[in-house]
Each structure stands twice: as C-alpha cells, then as structure tokens.
Amino acid sequence: DVCFVAETDGRIAGLTSVQLVQVAVTPGLSYGVLPLVAVSDHARGQGVGRSLVGRAINWLQERAAA
C-alpha cells in the first residue's frame, strides 16, 4: 500500500491511497484499489485529483496490476 500527496504553495492540495490486492484463488493475478482520493477546497478544479489518480495508476501498472 502507498499514499501519494500533492502540494501547492507548500500546502497539502490532495492525497490518494492505493492498495495492490493479490487474488487468492488465482496466483499472479492482482488488482488495484483507490480507497481514498481527496482534494482540498483551495485546490479543486486545478487537476489535482486527476494527477493523483494518474500517479496511482502508474504505480499500479509498474507492479503489473490487472
């Protein structure tokens, strides 16, 4: 599991947590879950959430999540 944090002007703008889940009945198969995506009021509408989700997807792809 990992957490990504975005900052703007030294302030936390948003964060996301990512979980890589292994499928117990199918060895080698995994999938990703983003249980939390949050963006601060001051950063909304600036693409912070999109950027965080993109980073999370890249992290999962690097680990070959389905």
Side-chain angles (χ1 to χ4, degrees), residues 1-5 15-18 36:
D1 297 359
V2 67
C3 180
F4 295 105
V5 178
L15 61 93
T16 186
S17 60
V18 186
L36 173 67

Side-chain angles (χ1 to χ4, degrees), residues 13-62:
L15 61 93
T16 186
S17 60
V18 186
Q19 297 174 342
L20 181 60
V21 180
Q22 303 297 320
V23 177
V25 296
T26 309
L29 182 63
S30 61
Y31 62 93
V33 178
L34 279 67
L36 173 67
V37 178
V39 177
S40 297
D41 287 340
H42 76 272
R44 293 206 175 144
Q46 299 176 25
V48 172
R50 183 182 353 238
S51 178
L52 286 165
V53 170
R55 179 62 187 105
I57 291 170
N58 288 340
W59 184 85
L60 289 165
Q61 288 174 334
E62 290 168 1

